Amino acid sequence: VLKEVLNLQHPTRSSTLTILAFTFGLAAIDEFRQSAFPDRSGTWMDVLLDTSAAAIFLLIAAAKWRKRERTG
């Protein structure tokens, strides 16, 4: 996955799902950690927001990769 991103290669479907799953997992861990502190709150809405942001980034990146592939 990292090799595809660093080489600016169009990621495969499985690597895209891996990126989203990693983002979801990391966001969930972070929200769980935040909920351990009384002055912080951990919510599933924040997890969904983080995961949605990653999905939007991947959509934008995919559009740029497709454009670059068409123009050569």
Side-chain angles (χ1 to χ4, degrees):
V1 173
L2 186 58
K3 181 181 176 185
E4 292 171 349
V5 173
L6 292 177
N7 290 330
L8 297 177
Q9 296 174 359
H10 196 287
T12 62
R13 184 172 300 214
S14 64
S15 64
T16 300
L17 292 176
T18 301
I19 291 167
L20 289 175
F22 181 78
T23 302
F24 179 85
L26 191 59
I29 290 168
D30 184 48
E31 292 302 317
F32 178 75
R33 184 188 59 81
Q34 286 184 31
S35 68
F37 296 96
D39 60 334
R40 302 292 304 260
S41 64
T43 66
W44 283 106
M45 190 59 92
D46 285 343
V47 173
L48 293 177
L49 179 66
D50 292 343
T51 306
S52 297
I56 291 169
F57 170 79
L58 288 170
L59 288 171
I60 292 169
K64 289 189 177 279
W65 280 312
R66 279 190 216 109
K67 182 180 177 182
R68 193 170 80 173
E69 288 173 354
R70 276 186 258 140
T71 59

